[in-house]
Amino acid sequence: MRGVGGRGGGGRGLNGPDIPDALPFDKGERLKTFRHLGRLFAQMWRTSPWLISLSIALRLVVAIQPPLVLLFTKLIIDEVVHQTGLGVPGPALGDWLESGRLNYLMLLLAGEFVLVFARDAFNRAINVVDNILGESHSNAVSLELMQHAANLDLKHFEQSEYQDSLERARRQASSRSTVISQLFGQAQAMITAIALAAGLFIYAPLLIGLLALALIPAVWGEFKFNRLAYWISHSRSPERRQLEYLRQIGASAESAKEIKLFGLGDFLSGRFKVLSEQILIENRNLSIRRALQTGLLASISTLTYYAAYAYIVWRTLHGEFSIGTLVFLSGSFNQLNGYLQQILIGFTQIAGQSLYLDDLFGFFEIKPGIVDPKKPRPFPTPLREGIVFDNVGFRYPGSETWAIRNLSFTVAAGDTLALVGENGAGKTTIVKLLTRLYDPDEGRITIDGIDIREFALADLRTHVGAIFQDFLRYSFSASDNIGVGRIEAAADRERIVAAATQSLADAVIRKLPEGYDQMLGRTFARGHDLSGGEWQKLAIARAYMRDAEIIILDEPTAALDARAEAEVFQRFKNLAEGTTAVLISHRFSTVRMADRIVVLADGKVEEEGTHDELMANGGRYAELFELQAAGYR
């Protein structure tokens, strides 16, 4: 994990937060982010066309309500003033009703009541629709994110910049559906504002100009701080990933034992506290600056409103406006001021949101480099020749050191090849290349004479079953933990039991309270955890479940004792007749069972042969074998 004292880039350290006054994005880049709004709308339309349509329809109805209510209020007040000037028809309500002078007034009151009641009902309906649409979209985006991540290359998960991009995308996946609701709200507010402005323009066009002058400073302030807030969020992705990492290891079942044994609780919480407080200071400083500056700018709008209000009152005193018109104009100006602020500031917020959308859609624009060929060739079944590494060289992305180079060896069809070598010799790299998690930079790998890049990825990986030492321990049922080895057959209990029997996992599973239906792990209720060796037997069962032509076992039995490992591999040899296998193990008692052994050193083949041949050569293999054997004497 990187230290928390600072990081490169940006001209800004954690020890002294320095929020830039200059906006950190050029205009061209800022404009490009608006294209994501169309992509977001299309994404939400695919999620639910009818919910989008219903939201638009409801907002159109609600948009015309405010000016209509003000108009009804004006007419009601003018009618009241008019009636008071005509004298009283009688002391009782019946006298008023009998005279018919209340008919128009009652009609106006009823109309305004319907408008207010309907607005409340429609607003509640809009909230319901938006909530359902937001959750549906969040689920859809999260699913799309998972599917896209599954298609990316392994290098995208082994480099920090890609992990930062993924972390930013994850944060946005569940929170950006509100942008479309904001856009719809903007359209609704614009319709209302146009109607209010039309009324103002008829009576006092000067007030429209005052509004425009009053709003510009407030809008500019909001726009500036929205972009600064995004800049801080974007540039702090690495530190936020560190915080998430500290949260995870500081309170998880997997790390609890070591944290207690080494007394790491205070160390981890202290590091979390330092990092989180420094980020908090940065956000706090921005919030204070934002509140002070935007508050000052917003006060200009308030002063403008009261100046306009005084102007309307003055003209009313001179008899130019009726009392109803006074109420209508003051209400219209007040509401129009609010709506215009909402529209203009809302657009700055949407502009800020579109920057965050760039985090989401920017991740979707990352494309895998390892893809299917245009015309895939069928995988050869059964194998007749085997696997050939022909002068293969490979460097991990960003590294100048060759992991392997000038590497050549053959695995005959139906044979078991063991790869032996010290850590860093290139054994796991060979497995990654054979399964096309990476492609070689030099040379080629063939299966029955066909370059593996000519196979469809799904076809290749269907016929190659690989189990790594760092296999996943799924918090699924025991049955599902094995079924993931061939997901299309995950419901085939007979096949799952057969695979478990081959890997010696069946005996483990049958001791569980619910057998193959037992939930494993401690993540969820009723979960039952297994020992490391028991988990490995389940992982090996996945390889048998795959029933592939080629099986790769990369240190899959490291947690098993020597006797259990020997039994697993002896069973493998007996049951996998005709299967081509690549085995990586540090236990030479197991390695000697292989038909052929390749000894690797510094990414190259140093020795090759059977166990007896290599022992007779007296080279590195014999030396390592004797060192290990001496430990058992």
Side-chain angles (χ1 to χ4, degrees), residues 86-105:
L86 297 178
V88 178
L93 177 61
D95 298 326
W96 282 88
L97 293 174
E98 186 177 349
S99 69
R101 288 169 56 184
L102 291 182
N103 292 348
Y104 180 52
L105 186 59

Side-chain angles (χ1 to χ4, degrees), residues 117-135:
F117 184 83
R119 179 181 176 85
D120 180 70
F122 280 119
N123 277 328
R124 292 178 187 277
I126 289 171
N127 288 335
V128 171
V129 171
D130 286 355
N131 286 338
I132 296 173
L133 181 61
E135 186 167 353

Side-chain angles (χ1 to χ4, degrees), residues 337-545:
N337 181 45
Y339 277 110
L340 287 178
Q341 285 196 49
Q342 175 186 331
I343 292 167
L344 296 176
I345 294 176
F347 275 123
T348 68
Q349 291 173 343
I350 290 170
Q353 295 277 10
S354 68
L355 294 172
Y356 290 97
L357 286 173
D358 193 54
D359 288 340
L360 176 62
F361 290 113
F363 178 76
F364 286 125
E365 290 171 0
I366 299 173
K367 301 300 180 185
I370 299 175
V371 296
D372 290 337
K374 292 182 179 179
K375 295 182 179 180
R377 297 184 61 175
F379 193 92
T381 54
L383 294 188
R384 300 186 182 278
E385 300 174 25
I387 306 166
V388 175
F389 274 65
D390 182 11
N391 202 34
V392 173
F394 174 73
R395 286 184 295 196
Y396 283 97
S399 174
E400 297 182 359
T401 304
W402 290 90
I404 58 174
R405 198 171 195 193
N406 301 321
L407 184 67
S408 298
F409 64 86
T410 300
V411 188
D415 280 359
T416 297
L417 176 79
L419 297 175
V420 175
E422 298 178 6
N423 292 335
K427 303 184 296 296
T428 299
T429 299
I430 290 173
V431 176
K432 291 178 179 178
L433 292 173
L434 184 54
T435 52
R436 282 204 78 195
L437 295 175
Y438 286 101
D439 279 336
D441 297 312
E442 297 178 348
R444 66 179 194 146
I445 304 167
T446 63
I447 295 177
D448 275 10
I450 304 171
D451 193 312
I452 63 172
R453 284 173 284 203
E454 296 184 45
F455 301 129
L457 286 170
D459 196 24
L460 173 67
R461 292 168 185 169
T462 294
H463 292 90
V464 179
I467 295 297
F468 294 92
Q469 181 178 356
D470 54 348
F471 59 85
L472 279 179
R473 304 181 181 193
Y474 295 97
S475 292
F476 298 158
S477 68
S479 176
D480 286 343
N481 261 278
I482 297 172
V484 294
R486 198 173 190 93
I487 198 65
E488 63 270 21
D492 188 342
R493 181 59 62 88
E494 184 177 341
R495 181 169 178 166
I496 289 171
V497 173
T501 302
Q502 288 176 267
S503 71
L504 304 179
D506 181 68
V508 174
I509 295 171
R510 294 198 181 278
K511 293 178 183 178
L512 298 173
E514 298 180 46
Y516 281 85
D517 296 320
Q518 177 67 55
M519 180 68 72
L520 299 182
R522 295 176 178 172
T523 305
F524 304 112
R526 296 174 35 250
H528 185 97
D529 207 5
L530 304 177
S531 69
E534 290 171 332
W535 274 111
Q536 284 198 308
K537 290 178 181 179
L538 261 71
I540 295 169
R542 292 174 200 158
Y544 287 118
M545 182 73 183

Side-chain angles (χ1 to χ4, degrees), residues 300-312:
I300 298 174
S301 297
T302 303
L303 291 173
T304 305
Y305 166 72
Y306 280 100
Y309 192 37
Y311 170 74
I312 296 169

Side-chain angles (χ1 to χ4, degrees), residues 29 51 58 60 96 100 158 234 257 286 311 337 491 564 598:
E29 287 299 313
L51 281 176
L58 289 171
L60 286 173
W96 282 88
E158 294 185 340
H234 180 90
K257 288 183 292 186
L286 177 66
Y311 170 74
N337 181 45
V598 170

